[in-house]
Amino acid sequence: MDVAARIGRLTGLAVRDLRRIGGQHRCGHYRVVLSDGRLAFAKVAAADLGAGLSGMFESEARALRWLADAAAVPVPEVLGWDTAALAVAWLPGGSPDAAAAGQFGRDLARLHLAGAAGFGAPWPGFIASLPLGNDRVASAGDSWPQWYARERLLPYLRRAFDAGTLTRPDIRLIERVASRAGALAGPAEPPSRIHGDCWSGNLLWSGGRTWLIDPAAHGGHRESDLAMLALFGAPYLDRITAGYQEAAPLAAGWRARVPLHQLHPLLVHVCLFGAAYRDAALDAARRALASG
């Protein structure tokens, strides 16, 4: 099925115009004009993703709708998906500004406060093109540190070691973090409704608001989203943080726990992009241990 026909079937509308605007993680990105005049953004697999990734678009669609249910941070409307494509409403790009950043901080706090039934989510998860252990929702007796070590650190540690990117001493260092996560994680908190991949590239500044796109959403720890925003330098991070603290103050010592929460996305980057992120992951592990 060609791209226009697939998008038409997903949205229930004919495609009037289609323009490729880039691509990432084995998908082409398209700007679409539908027959009713609406604009859409579509991700379409460049080739057969295989059985292991066949749920990637459904996962993103369900995550967007779950985030939208909180009526907190705006997210694009999902128009349709199948095993090879996802279409959402088009959002015109804008420029970051301080007022929108402060509002985003307050919105993000409200999103987190909407909560989740447990750690994880009731659908198979993905982060970029990697599986994410979303489908194993923690039991009531399972703490976040236990879940984080089991579902967010150890699977990517094994994947990176199997690929030859991390050495056995690297493994031992990060396993120490996993084993001590309970002592490093700070006060216990209930599951928050988090974006899960909240780096600056997944913030879209449009219409005076800050929108969230490309989620790896699940029930997790709210400090994970804040740590991810800091990892690659979100615009006006100080305003975002101030707005967040105004709406839902973080537990004392949260800044010292940033490396613990950054270790997972850094391991994901090691798995995706190789040794270029090894030193950053090991540094985060050392800083996480030092904080305890």
Side-chain angles (χ1 to χ4, degrees), residues 3-4 6-13 15 18 28 30-32 34 38-44 57-58 60-61 64-65 76-82 84-90:
V3 171
R6 183 175 293 278
I7 296 170
R9 187 171 65 80
L10 294 183
T11 61
L13 294 166
V15 172
L18 180 72
Y30 297 87
R31 180 184 184 273
V32 184
L34 298 170
R38 283 187 295 166
L39 299 180
F41 170 80
K43 295 181 181 180
V44 182
F57 297 108
E58 178 182 1
E60 182 173 344
L64 283 169
R65 288 180 172 175
E77 178 190 0
V78 175
L79 303 179
W81 75 87
D82 62 15
L86 168 71
V88 301
W90 178 271

Side-chain angles (χ1 to χ4, degrees), residues 10-289:
L10 294 183
T11 61
L13 294 166
V15 172
R16 200 162 72 194
D17 185 63
L18 180 72
R19 178 161 55 93
R20 181 163 179 148
I21 55 174
Q24 191 179 34
H25 302 306
R26 300 165 61 182
C27 296
H29 295 171
Y30 297 87
R31 180 184 184 273
V32 184
V33 181
L34 298 170
S35 59
D36 64 356
R38 283 187 295 166
L39 299 180
F41 170 80
K43 295 181 181 180
V44 182
D48 182 14
L49 292 174
L53 296 177
S54 62
M56 186 166 65
F57 297 108
E58 178 182 1
S59 178
E60 182 173 344
R62 293 182 66 179
L64 283 169
R65 288 180 172 175
W66 187 62
L67 295 178
D69 286 345
V73 183
V75 299
E77 178 190 0
V78 175
L79 303 179
W81 75 87
D82 62 15
T83 58
L86 168 71
V88 301
W90 178 271
L91 296 172
S95 298
D97 67 77
Q103 183 60 53
F104 172 63
R106 294 185 288 275
D107 290 345
L108 186 64
R110 290 172 51 229
L111 174 68
H112 291 166
L113 291 173
F119 300 113
W123 57 78
F126 291 87
I127 185 163
S129 57
L130 294 179
L132 187 72
N134 256 14
D135 52 337
R136 284 168 277 189
V137 178
S139 66
D142 200 5
S143 69
W144 179 81
Q146 292 173 319
W147 179 87
Y148 182 67
R150 186 182 71 240
E151 303 295 341
R152 294 294 181 264
L153 297 184
L154 298 180
Y156 300 93
L157 188 59
R158 288 191 291 268
R159 182 184 285 266
F161 179 73
D162 290 345
T165 312
L166 295 182
T167 66
R168 290 192 182 278
D170 299 342
I171 297 297
R172 288 194 290 271
L173 172 65
I174 296 171
E175 284 179 339
R176 283 181 59 205
V177 178
S179 68
R180 294 195 58 207
L184 302 173
E189 294 206 8
S192 292
R193 186 170 306 215
I194 72 171
H195 177 278
D197 191 11
C198 199
W199 73 290
S200 58
N202 286 339
L203 308 184
L204 183 62
W205 306 78
S206 179
R209 299 289 299 277
T210 310
W211 299 63
L212 286 174
I213 60 173
D214 294 346
H218 60 277
H221 198 300
R222 63 194 184 119
E223 291 177 14
S224 293
D225 275 351
L226 276 298
M228 189 66 169
L229 285 169
L231 185 57
F232 299 115
Y236 297 101
L237 181 60
D238 57 338
R239 297 296 186 95
I240 294 172
T241 303
Y244 191 99
Q245 292 277 52
E246 175 187 321
L250 295 159
W254 69 271
R255 291 187 186 276
R257 296 187 289 273
V258 166
L260 174 66
H261 292 269
Q262 289 180 341
L263 185 53
H264 168 244
L266 285 168
L267 285 173
V268 168
H269 277 68
V270 171
C271 293
L272 287 171
F273 305 114
Y277 286 93
R278 172 180 173 268
D279 288 348
L282 298 181
D283 181 62
R286 293 187 188 100
R287 288 187 293 122
L289 290 170

